[in-house]
Amino acid sequence: MAVTDEAIEKIKSMIVSGALRPGDRLPRESELAAALGLSRNSLREAVRALSLIRILDVRQGDGTYVTSLDPGLLLGALSFAVDFHRDDTAQEFLAVRRILEPAATAMAAARISEDELDALTGRLDALGSDPPVEELVAADLEFHRVVARASGNAVLWSLLDGLSGPATRARVWRALTGQDAVGRTLHEHRAILGALRDRDAEAARSWATVHINGAEQWLRPALGRPDLP
């Protein structure tokens, strides 16, 4: 195991064991290095790596702290990594969304507030029937974020938010070249909202599945991979 990897594992063990808790300040660098049997350089590299994935928060002039370890914070790094996907894997990201998003939408049926539903409806009304692609994509992203967050499961909505990188591109392609993609997207959003207003979890799940399936069906021929499952 590389020295830096060993240092990362030792700090991770302290956090997992509860020796360091969310919000705790790490001991001074010299003290921690001695306690863990590490060089100060390897400890520094480990802290830098853990700060990049939001496990640690380095505050200049103050010290290094364990972050809140909130799922939204930790999984936020996922979206950065996902942006490096190859175009030929976009289908696979959509397949993951097809598994997760209908479940989140069904869960939201019991939790989403009337104010949130009204705000989403107002945003749809403001778009009109033929919005510019940029506005449609922004509204689509916000729609799915609000619904997923309303599931009440921070891990689930953080995962879905992290997958929005390739989903964003697929939406743009679909809006630009898919037959009546704009009209279908707006119709499906209204159908999902209707199910959520009725507090009908199964209808919400079904419409969310239809929505993701539509994107997948468009993407297969667009990528030249009709054989993909």
Side-chain angles (χ1 to χ4, degrees):
M1 180 183 292
V3 175
T4 301
D5 291 340
E6 180 185 0
I8 290 171
E9 283 299 316
K10 287 185 175 182
I11 297 173
K12 174 185 171 183
S13 294
M14 292 179 71
I15 295 172
V16 172
S17 69
L20 285 173
R21 297 182 178 278
D24 281 356
R25 186 180 185 277
L26 269 64
R28 294 176 57 180
E29 184 182 271
S30 58
E31 297 172 3
L32 185 58
L36 296 179
L38 301 167
S39 72
R40 293 177 69 170
N41 281 340
S42 61
L43 177 61
R44 233 174 260 136
E45 289 299 317
V47 167
R48 186 177 294 114
L50 290 169
S51 68
L52 287 174
I53 57 174
R54 302 180 182 181
I55 302 295
L56 298 178
D57 178 19
V58 180
R59 305 175 190 173
Q60 284 298 103
D62 186 12
T64 300
Y65 292 79
V66 181
T67 66
S68 66
L69 303 180
D70 179 83
L73 180 68
L74 299 181
L75 293 171
L78 174 65
S79 61
F80 179 80
V82 162
D83 279 340
F84 289 95
H85 83 291
R86 303 185 314 273
D87 288 345
D88 62 355
T89 62
Q91 184 80 34
E92 295 175 17
F93 283 103
L94 276 173
V96 175
R97 278 191 61 210
R98 176 164 39 86
I99 295 168
L100 299 179
E101 194 152 325
T105 307
M107 292 164 67
R111 297 175 174 86
I112 193 166
S113 71
E114 291 295 327
D115 287 344
E116 287 172 319
L117 290 169
D118 289 343
L120 290 175
T121 301
R123 184 78 184 271
L124 274 177
D125 291 342
L127 282 175
S129 60
D130 189 24
V133 170
E134 295 80 6
E135 290 184 20
L136 176 68
V137 170
D140 192 31
L141 280 169
E142 180 63 16
F143 179 91
H144 289 285
R145 281 182 180 139
V146 171
V147 173
R149 193 173 290 116
S151 71
N153 186 311
V155 173
L156 180 56
W157 71 255
S158 296
L159 283 170
L160 284 167
D161 198 47
L163 292 170
S164 66
T168 300
R169 294 172 189 173
R171 289 181 192 122
V172 171
W173 300 337
R174 189 177 181 218
L176 285 171
T177 61
Q179 184 179 8
D180 193 29
V182 172
R184 286 202 311 273
T185 296
L186 297 175
H187 170 72
E188 289 161 6
H189 280 190
R190 290 191 183 280
I192 292 169
L193 282 176
L196 292 174
R197 281 196 186 278
D198 291 341
R199 307 297 172 183
D200 188 333
E202 289 312 308
R205 186 195 307 274
S206 296
W207 275 112
T209 302
V210 167
H211 188 50
I212 304 302
N213 278 347
E216 284 190 287
Q217 288 168 11
W218 174 84
L219 199 55
R220 284 193 186 97
L223 293 177
R225 300 277 303 279
D227 57 312
L228 285 172

